[in-house]
Amino acid sequence: MRSIRARLFTILLVTTGIVWLSAIAWIYLSTKAEVERVLDARLTEAARMVSSLITSQEIAIRKAGGVPAMVAVPHVSYDRQLSCQIWGFDGTLVGRSESAPGQPLTAAKSGFSETTIDGETWRVYAVANPELGIRVLVGDNLYVRDRLVADVIRGLAFPALLILPVLAALLWLSVGKGLAPLAAIASALGVRRASDLSALPDNDSPSEIKPVIRSLNGLFARVSTARERERDFTAFAAHELRTPIAGLKTQAQIALGSNDEAIRNNALRQITVGVDRTARLVRQLTDLTNAESGELDDDAGHVDVGRTLQALADDIGQHHRDAASFSISAELARLELGVNPSLFMVGVRNLLENAVLHSPPDKPVRCDLRRDQGFEAITIDDCGPGIPEDELPKVCSRFFRGRNQTAAGSGLGLAIANLAAERMGARLYLENRAEGGLRAELRFKKTVRNGKAAQGNEIRPI
């Protein structure tokens, strides 16, 4: 059932019906017990009264031959329900009421009992009178009792059946009225422009609807932020690509228009540098887009840290032949991480490139392992100018280029590394070293391997 209104209506109708039926069943059982108690008391009182009247001789006892043969007459109403018989101790019928059968109502000497006579069950109370040698039997036909209880229940059930359609209509209208705020939200969203991401008002909304409205407003805010980020990304990317492309065109024109071989060779070298810079920028833009859109899965794998760092260092060295070299500690060569390999390579590659571009060619970039309580960190130390302290909180923003920027930098490397670290469940820390240069620290939480799913990042020696 996909309709909330129909579902609520069905639940309410079924619940109301169950409660109503339970009430009728309870009334039936309690009424039947109460009727039996009252009628049993009446039987007792009637039998004792007849016995008392006979004792006081206010009722004359006939002889057996004087008792006329009478046929029990059924009655459709509740008049003359009681049947009375007076029997002598010797088994002689002394007297009986008009509706009483000819055979004894019960064989019991005294007290309550039930007897079936001609297919009908009787509830009988017997009183023995030893002084006169008689027994007084007063009985009720149980069919009459059951009919009395059934009439009571029927009087309750018929109005219920008549009211049920009215109740169903009221429930349907009430549920529709209760769901009106949802219909109002759907109507407001249906006519809203695609560009309108403003928050929905929730001041007068019911408390049950407010969480939905707040969740929608949160979604609108996130979508608005994402759209703003995409616009900025597109504008900054266009700006960053326009500069190297313009430079390539200029150098190509110089190479084509000059007859001097030295000038032409220099222009071609500048074209090569520009192509490398443009290729790096395009790769970084692709990495950033993939990291944000989820193209790089978050699923953990296993990364041989030392081998991966060495492969990245060799690749960077081929693209930046005159840049600084790398020094990778032996501890990293014995370390394995339980993280996604693609995210790890994207993040670390940008950190290594950032370090190489800012370090002097004669001073290597050092990669080391730092252990502390609760985490292990890969540190990348360069010997460059570092980052001014006032710029440290901003350097992980996209396209931010500080005062110590390089010509090949695009302002994306640290942003990509920070995003990749977050996706891996790690943290990126940047700080200026006392001896000069910048330290980039990629911290991973330690986990203990115990045969169960680990929390954080799995770190183990090779």
Side-chain angles (χ1 to χ4, degrees), residues 119-417:
E120 294 184 339
T121 303
W122 293 79
R123 176 77 168 168
V124 184
Y125 185 77
V127 175
N129 192 328
E131 295 179 4
L132 299 178
I134 61 173
R135 287 188 302 123
V136 178
L137 309 179
V138 179
D140 257 343
N141 193 323
L142 291 186
Y143 168 76
V144 178
R145 289 191 178 192
D146 293 339
R147 192 179 67 183
L148 175 61
V149 176
D151 287 344
V152 173
I153 300 304
R154 197 177 295 114
L156 293 173
F158 282 162
L161 293 176
L162 293 176
I163 293 174
L164 189 60
V166 178
L167 177 62
L170 292 176
L171 286 176
W172 182 261
L173 294 175
S174 299
V175 171
K177 187 68 175 178
L179 294 176
L182 280 178
I185 293 176
S187 177
L189 292 176
V191 299
R192 176 174 285 213
R193 299 189 308 275
S195 59
D196 185 4
L197 296 175
S198 59
L200 293 170
D202 63 348
N203 296 332
D204 299 327
S205 301
S207 58
E208 293 81 4
I209 305 298
K210 283 186 177 181
V212 178
I213 296 178
R214 290 170 182 169
S215 297
L216 283 173
N217 290 338
L219 176 62
F220 291 157
R222 293 193 296 273
V223 171
S224 179
T225 301
R227 289 181 60 181
E228 188 68 26
R229 186 181 300 168
E230 288 177 358
R231 283 195 295 267
D232 294 343
F233 177 83
T234 303
F236 290 146
H239 174 75
E240 291 295 326
L241 286 171
R242 184 168 58 247
T243 301
I245 290 175
L248 288 173
K249 182 178 180 180
T250 301
Q251 295 299 327
Q253 290 174 340
I254 292 174
L256 291 173
S258 176
N259 294 323
D260 189 331
E261 185 176 356
I263 295 176
R264 188 166 53 250
N265 290 339
N266 181 67
L268 293 175
R269 282 194 297 271
Q270 294 300 320
I271 289 174
T272 302
V273 173
V275 169
D276 290 340
R277 178 186 176 188
T278 304
R280 179 172 180 266
L281 177 58
V282 171
R283 178 181 55 78
Q284 287 183 321
L285 291 173
T286 303
D287 290 344
L288 184 61
T289 302
N290 291 340
E292 284 189 330
S293 63
E295 292 294 329
L296 301 177
D297 294 333
D298 295 334
D299 296 337
H302 291 289
V303 175
D304 185 337
V305 176
R307 185 176 301 173
T308 303
L309 286 176
Q310 189 60 56
L312 290 173
D314 294 342
D315 184 62
I316 293 172
Q318 292 180 1
H319 289 84
H320 305 278
R321 298 184 180 277
D322 297 331
S325 60
F326 290 95
S327 174
I328 301 174
S329 70
E331 287 186 290
L332 289 174
R334 296 190 297 269
L335 183 68
E336 184 175 306
L337 288 175
V339 296
N340 181 271
S342 299
L343 286 171
F344 181 81
M345 292 185 68
V346 166
V348 173
R349 181 186 183 94
N350 281 277
L351 291 177
L352 293 176
E353 282 189 339
N354 186 74
V356 163
L357 293 175
H358 288 85
S359 290
D362 57 338
K363 294 184 179 180
V365 173
R366 297 188 57 82
C367 301
D368 208 342
L369 176 66
R370 187 171 78 87
R371 290 186 170 90
D372 202 340
Q373 185 176 4
F375 70 88
E376 294 189 359
I378 299 174
T379 62
I380 300 174
D381 297 339
D382 64 48
C383 298
I387 299 175
E389 293 296 331
D390 60 319
E391 294 181 358
L392 278 174
K394 308 174 186 177
V395 291
C396 288
S397 301
R398 303 178 191 182
F399 298 103
F400 178 82
R401 302 176 70 180
R403 296 191 292 273
N404 295 333
Q405 63 179 325
T406 62
S410 60
L412 285 175
L414 293 178
I416 295 171

